[in-house]
């Protein structure tokens, strides 16, 4: 057990407001000797002197005091408590609850009810009302007395009362550094092994929202130890979700899986909200438990119309955090939003689209509808919105066909108005995304290449390194200018070279594919692991004599290959190179293949998933069909005749 972290400070040194950010001066609620000796509602408050003692010593002190004064510690009988509870339920704001204490005496057994009722009374208030009521509550002398009572009576409280008292004071915005919070934490540490499942659930819900400190960390560790033996007892999905959030990412993997497996056994009881919260619960543990996520995805997909935007977005964000993808779930969300598109604001649509892009998912109908809205009213978008729109449409390689030109014109028109205020980084982002769409305005490029903007991007005069992302953007942009925009002046096609290089070990070659290719063309014609332009990794390059009717490419000299040789660049495309659930290539793959072709290669793209699903003979046939498509060329035709015929 960790040492007590209680501080010898005043009972109230500070407090924080949640969820609002309000700045009120806190009163100093010092436990003075005068206050410590006066009687409050029939109970004598002793001055707090024993916080440095061990928990057992303090508990012995309180037991002796209780034995000496039994009349002050016995719970009120049912008849006496009924009027108090009745009045408590009729209180609809914190000050009403505190005023009730003047009329009815309260024992230590009721402190938890008082604090909980104060907290509950603020739930239905508006933010403005809540801020006002909380300020009045802190200024009310009765709140000081209740918190003093919670400190002195904590050792006598039942486990449920301790848990609810802690939850109430934390949710009311009381600082964790105050004695009332730290005392409750310390007492709970001493008695947590006596907590039943209900009390543990309340405790778990509370500490997951608290900042880490010695006592909170000790409680989390104690909770993990208790759960090992008590998970089988839990029969509530909500309780299990609270436990998941409380144990956190640092808990042992076997405990995480034990919680997830127990939750999966209760899958038949899942309600739509249970399924939604399961994503964030698993994300809080950092556990991608696919069987459980699949069940929840199916439940959400079938009831997607029941979820407001504020619940759908966290589900998708949790999917990204967990690296979990489910085509049925993503499709149902995108179809639902497309069918009800008019009810969603630009901000909501952009948030969903950006999250989908992070998940590599391309919601085609949503993108088309949003593009139409942008064309009709482009001025409604902010600079941040426009950058997000360009990012999504470019990285997902979404083609609007006949509306592409009109869409880009609408976006460019609004971006022009932000150009004078745009930072160098935002300007680079905008030009980079436009370059992926093969549309770069010359005036923008001239502005980017101004020395002032380049110095900001390169952080000239600073000791920090250039961010890797900025290097990659500039390097790719330079290639786009040189290969895609040959009509630009030479000065605009010379983006500074930062010698940016992608480490070769980041791209392991698919050895099965390499073996199959060598069996087709021989060992001498294959060169593996080629890095072109310091950024484009090629799994293997096949060099063959060029057919007589073909002429040499103008860019062949860029890679140093013989002028009269045909160079076939075989690129093994992983699943992340395609939009999820489809064979639609993303911008990175499209740009890579386009640039390799401009550099004199004949690019051949081989999908990894499709290749891995085939037998050795089928792989050879597939590669023959991709590398040597049916043609009249005698050289390749002869090679095809000597190999198994492609289907």
């Amino acid at each position: 057990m960790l040492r007590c972290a209680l501080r010898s400070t005043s009972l109230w040194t500070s407090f924080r407001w949640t969820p609002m950010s309000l700045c009120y001066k806190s009163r100093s609620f010092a436990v003075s000797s005068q206050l410590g000796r006066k009687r409050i509602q029939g109970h004598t408050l002793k001055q707090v002197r024993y916080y440095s003692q061990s928990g057992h010593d303090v508990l012995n002190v309180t037991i002796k005091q209780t034995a000496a004064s039994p009349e002050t510690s016995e719970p009120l009988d049912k008849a006496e408590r009924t009027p108090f509870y009745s009045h408590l339920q009729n209180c609809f704001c914190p000050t009403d609850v505190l005023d009730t204490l003047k009329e009815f005496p309260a024992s230590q057994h009721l402190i938890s009810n008082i604090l909980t009722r104060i907290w509950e009374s603020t739930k239905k208030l508006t933010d403005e009302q809540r801020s006002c009521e909380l300020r009045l509550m802190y200024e009310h002398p009765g709140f000081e007395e209740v918190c003093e009572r919670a400190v002195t009576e904590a050792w006598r409280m039942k486990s449920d009362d301790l848990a609810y008292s802690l939850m109430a004071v934390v949710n009311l915005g009381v600082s964790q550094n105050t004695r009332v919070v730290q005392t409750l934490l310390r007492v709970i540490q001493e008695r947590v092994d006596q907590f039943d499942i209900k009390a543990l659930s309340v405790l778990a819900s509370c500490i997951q929202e608290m900042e880490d400190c010695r006592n909170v960390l000790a409680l989390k560790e104690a909770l993990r130890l208790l759960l090992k033996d008590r998970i089988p007892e839990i029969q509530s999905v909500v309780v299990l979700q609270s436990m998941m959030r409380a144990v956190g990412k640092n808990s042992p993997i076997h405990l995480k899986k034990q919680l997830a497996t127990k939750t999966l056994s209760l899958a038949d009881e899942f309600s739509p909200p249970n399924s939604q919260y399961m994503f964030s619960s698993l994300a809080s543990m950092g556990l991608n438990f696919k069987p459980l996520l699949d069940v929840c995805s199916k439940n959400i997909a079938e009831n997607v119309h029941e979820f407001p935007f504020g619940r759908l977005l966290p589900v998708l964000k949790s999917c990204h955090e967990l690296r979990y993808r489910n085509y049925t779930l993503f499709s149902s969300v995108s179809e639902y939003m497309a069918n009800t598109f008019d009810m969603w604001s630009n901000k909501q649509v952009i948030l969903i689209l950006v999250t989908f892009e992070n998940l590599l998912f391309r919601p085609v109908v949503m993108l088309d509808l949003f593009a139409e809205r942008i064309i009709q009213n482009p001025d409604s978008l902010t600079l941040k919105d426009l950058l997000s729109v360009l990012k999504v449409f470019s990285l997902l390689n979404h083609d609007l066909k006949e509306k592409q030109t009109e869409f880009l014109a609408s976006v460019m028109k609004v971006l022009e108005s932000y150009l004078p205020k745009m930072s160098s980084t935002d300007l680079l982002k905008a030009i980079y995304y436009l370059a992926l769409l093969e549309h770069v305005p010359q005036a923008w490029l001239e502005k980017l290449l101004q020395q002032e903007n380049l110095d900001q991007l390169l952080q000239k005069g600073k000791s920090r390194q250039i961010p890797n992302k900025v290097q990659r953007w500039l390097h790719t942009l330079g290639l786009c200018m040189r290969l895609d925009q040959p009509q630009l002046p030479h000065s605009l096609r010379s983006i500074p070279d930062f010698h940016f290089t992608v480490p070769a070990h980041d791209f392991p070659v698919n050895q099965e594919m390499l073996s199959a290719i060598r069996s087709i063309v021989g060992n001498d014609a294959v060169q593996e692991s080629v890095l072109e332009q310091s950024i484009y990794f090629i799994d293997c390059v096949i060099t063959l004599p060029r057919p007589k009717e073909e002429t040499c490419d103008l860019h062949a000299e860029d890679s140093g290959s013989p002028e009269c040789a045909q160079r076939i660049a075989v690129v093994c495309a992983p699943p992340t190179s395609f939009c999820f659930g489809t064979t639609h290539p993303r911008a990175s793959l499209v740009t890579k293949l386009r640039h390799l072709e401009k550099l004199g290669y004949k690019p051949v793209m081989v999908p990894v998933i499709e290749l891995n699903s085939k037998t050795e003979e089928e792989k050879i046939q597939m590669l023959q069909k991709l590398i040597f498509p049916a043609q009249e060329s005698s050289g390749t035709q002869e090679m095809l005749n000597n190999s198994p015929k492609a289907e």
Side-chain angles (χ1 to χ4, degrees):
M1 186 68 69
L2 293 172
R3 280 193 312 128
C4 179
L6 303 178
R7 302 182 178 183
S8 299
T9 59
S10 61
L11 181 63
W12 298 102
T13 54
S14 62
F15 65 87
R16 59 182 176 84
W17 293 85
T18 55
M20 302 80 65
S21 298
L22 301 171
C23 298
Y24 293 110
K25 288 187 176 180
S26 59
R27 294 180 57 197
S28 176
F29 294 102
V31 184
S32 64
S33 58
Q34 182 180 359
L35 179 61
R37 292 186 176 86
K38 69 179 181 180
R39 295 180 62 85
I40 300 178
Q41 298 173 356
H43 294 270
T44 303
L45 293 181
K46 300 293 183 180
Q47 189 173 3
V48 182
R49 299 179 183 275
Y50 47 73
Y51 293 110
S52 61
Q53 302 178 34
S54 69
H56 293 293
D57 292 340
V58 177
L59 191 57
N60 291 336
V61 172
T62 58
I63 291 174
K64 291 178 182 178
Q65 291 176 346
T66 303
S69 305
E71 70 282 356
T72 63
S73 60
E74 292 178 358
L76 300 175
D77 58 48
K78 187 175 181 179
E80 291 175 297
R81 291 169 59 183
T82 300
F84 177 79
Y85 278 113
S86 177
H87 278 73
L88 206 58
Q89 295 304 314
N90 292 327
C91 297
F92 299 103
C93 66
T95 50
D96 286 349
V97 178
L98 296 173
D99 289 338
T100 301
L101 298 179
K102 298 177 181 178
E103 304 176 23
F104 296 92
S107 70
Q108 71 271 12
H109 302 282
L110 302 181
I111 297 299
S112 174
N113 299 89
I114 295 168
L115 290 170
T116 302
R117 185 57 192 165
I118 292 175
W119 168 47
E120 289 178 345
S121 68
T122 64
K123 288 183 178 181
K124 295 183 180 180
L125 302 177
T126 64
D127 288 350
E128 185 177 355
Q129 290 172 333
R130 189 181 297 111
S131 65
C132 180
E133 287 294 338
L134 288 176
R135 180 169 58 85
L136 293 174
M137 177 193 74
Y138 277 100
E139 294 174 351
H140 197 293
F143 188 62
E144 177 184 355
E145 296 173 4
V146 170
C147 292
E148 286 185 33
R149 293 291 305 281
V151 169
T152 56
E153 305 289 355
W155 303 99
R156 306 179 193 178
M157 289 184 184
K158 297 179 181 178
S159 58
D160 284 358
D161 293 336
L162 283 169
Y164 279 108
S165 296
L166 179 64
M167 174 171 277
V169 294
V170 169
N171 286 330
L172 285 171
V174 178
S175 171
Q176 285 185 208
N177 294 329
T178 53
R179 282 187 184 176
V180 64
V181 174
Q182 292 295 327
T183 300
L184 289 171
L185 287 171
R186 177 58 191 272
V187 176
I188 292 173
Q189 283 183 53
E190 297 285 346
R191 293 163 51 186
V192 69
D193 57 337
Q194 303 171 16
F195 278 32
D196 58 16
I197 294 299
K198 179 183 176 182
L200 285 175
S201 174
V202 176
L203 176 62
S205 299
C206 182
I207 63 176
Q208 66 179 315
E209 303 296 338
M210 299 181 71
E211 298 174 2
D212 285 343
C213 66
R214 287 186 179 183
N215 286 328
V216 171
L217 291 173
L219 272 180
K220 286 184 177 180
E221 185 60 32
L223 191 61
R224 292 167 189 153
L225 295 173
L226 285 173
L227 283 177
K228 291 180 181 179
D229 299 323
R230 303 185 70 172
I231 288 177
E233 304 174 22
I234 306 175
Q235 298 300 323
S236 167
V237 177
V238 175
V239 172
L240 286 166
Q241 290 175 332
S242 297
M243 298 302 178
M244 289 179 182
R245 292 188 179 94
V247 299
K249 296 181 180 179
N250 296 327
S251 55
I253 186 64
H254 63 84
L255 177 60
K256 297 178 184 179
K257 290 185 176 180
Q258 192 178 356
L259 281 167
T261 303
K262 176 63 179 181
T263 308
L264 183 61
S265 69
L266 303 175
D268 292 340
E269 303 175 16
F270 284 8
S271 64
N274 288 153
S275 298
Q276 178 242 317
Y277 284 117
M278 194 62 65
F279 282 86
S280 57
S281 299
L282 288 171
S284 66
M285 288 198 303
L287 179 67
N288 182 339
F289 195 71
K290 193 174 184 301
L292 184 55
L293 289 169
D294 287 345
V295 171
C296 295
S297 295
K298 182 181 178 182
N299 197 342
I300 293 175
E302 293 173 350
N303 302 278
V304 67
H305 57 279
E306 298 182 15
F307 294 91
F309 176 84
R311 293 189 177 182
L312 288 176
L313 185 61
V315 168
L316 297 177
K317 287 185 174 181
S318 295
C319 288
H320 179 246
E321 186 176 349
L322 293 169
R323 298 183 179 180
Y324 170 78
R325 296 184 181 90
N326 186 294
Y327 190 80
T328 302
L329 172 63
F330 298 167
S331 298
S332 65
V333 173
S334 64
E335 288 173 10
Y336 167 64
M337 292 199 67
N339 293 335
T340 57
F341 194 76
D342 291 339
M343 66 183 285
W344 307 110
S345 67
N346 286 343
K347 181 179 180 181
Q348 290 173 320
V349 174
I350 289 172
L351 286 172
I352 286 288
L353 289 178
V354 168
T355 308
F356 272 143
E357 192 281 320
N358 290 334
L359 292 165
L360 312 184
F361 179 74
R362 185 172 72 115
V364 177
V365 180
M366 275 190 70
L367 289 168
D368 289 341
L369 290 172
F370 194 45
E372 185 65 35
R373 182 189 288 184
I374 292 173
I375 292 171
Q376 294 175 0
N377 186 19
D379 295 328
S380 61
L381 299 176
T382 64
L383 174 60
K384 184 178 179 181
D385 293 339
L386 291 165
L387 292 175
S388 297
V389 167
L390 285 175
K391 176 184 178 181
V392 170
F393 278 80
S394 62
L395 296 184
L396 290 178
N397 186 33
H398 186 67
D399 186 8
L400 294 168
K401 298 181 175 60
E402 66 276 0
K403 293 187 177 180
Q404 181 86 345
T405 303
E406 189 178 3
F407 168 75
L408 288 174
S410 300
V411 172
M412 294 290 297
K413 178 183 176 183
V414 184
L415 274 174
E416 286 281 358
S417 64
Y418 290 108
L419 191 58
K421 306 175 185 177
M422 210 179 292
S423 67
S424 57
T425 303
D426 286 342
L427 181 61
L428 174 60
K429 285 181 185 178
I431 296 177
Y432 171 74
Y433 296 139
L434 287 168
L436 296 181
L437 296 169
E438 298 186 81
H439 183 87
V440 180
Q442 182 172 333
W444 291 35
L445 198 56
E446 290 174 350
K447 180 176 174 62
L448 176 67
L449 294 179
Q450 289 176 0
Q451 193 61 44
E452 180 183 356
N453 288 321
L454 285 177
D455 288 346
Q456 290 179 9
L457 287 171
L458 305 181
Q459 301 174 357
K460 195 170 183 178
K462 298 183 180 179
S463 58
R464 294 182 298 170
Q465 273 191 324
I466 305 171
N468 189 65
K469 185 179 290 186
V470 171
Q471 291 185 52
R472 184 183 292 270
W473 285 343
L474 286 168
H475 190 83
T476 304
L477 182 58
L479 289 174
C480 290
M481 297 303 98
R482 181 158 57 92
L483 301 176
D484 296 335
Q485 307 286 335
Q487 74 279 7
L488 289 175
H490 180 73
S491 60
L492 297 182
R493 289 189 282 128
S494 56
I495 301 290
D497 185 7
F498 306 103
H499 306 290
F500 176 75
T501 303
V502 178
H505 59 76
D506 287 351
F507 303 94
V509 179
N510 189 310
Q511 293 299 324
E512 292 183 358
M513 181 195 71
L514 195 61
S515 176
I517 291 175
R518 282 175 172 159
S519 70
I520 298 172
V521 300
N523 292 331
D524 295 339
V526 178
Q527 180 185 4
E528 64 175 288
S529 301
V530 176
L531 191 63
E532 186 65 63
Q533 302 297 313
S534 302
I535 193 171
Y536 296 137
F537 180 80
I538 306 173
D539 289 79
C540 69
V541 174
I542 303 172
T543 305
L544 298 173
R546 186 178 295 277
K548 294 180 180 179
E549 63 272 16
E550 293 187 14
T551 58
C552 299
D553 190 88
L554 294 176
H555 293 282
E557 69 273 27
D558 289 344
S559 60
S561 296
E563 290 187 359
C564 293
Q566 181 185 26
R567 296 174 301 151
I568 302 172
V570 181
V571 176
C572 211
T576 53
S577 296
F578 302 93
C579 293
F580 174 63
T582 69
T583 57
H584 182 80
R586 288 170 52 80
S588 56
L589 179 59
V590 172
T591 305
K592 177 178 181 178
L593 297 179
R594 185 175 72 242
H595 286 173
L596 288 177
E597 188 172 4
K598 297 284 180 65
L599 291 166
Y601 292 95
K602 174 190 172 184
V604 173
M605 186 265 293
V606 181
V608 172
I609 292 183
E610 185 179 353
L611 184 70
N612 292 340
S613 64
K614 297 184 180 297
T615 63
E616 185 175 351
E617 183 178 351
E618 289 173 338
K619 287 177 181 177
I620 293 175
Q621 293 177 354
M622 173 185 170
L623 290 169
Q624 283 179 337
K625 186 175 180 180
L626 290 171
I627 298 172
F628 305 112
Q631 55 185 336
E632 296 299 324
S633 174
S634 59
T636 55
Q637 189 64 43
E638 182 180 353
M639 184 174 295
L640 285 170
N641 292 335
N642 295 329
S643 304
K645 189 175 181 180
E647 296 179 0

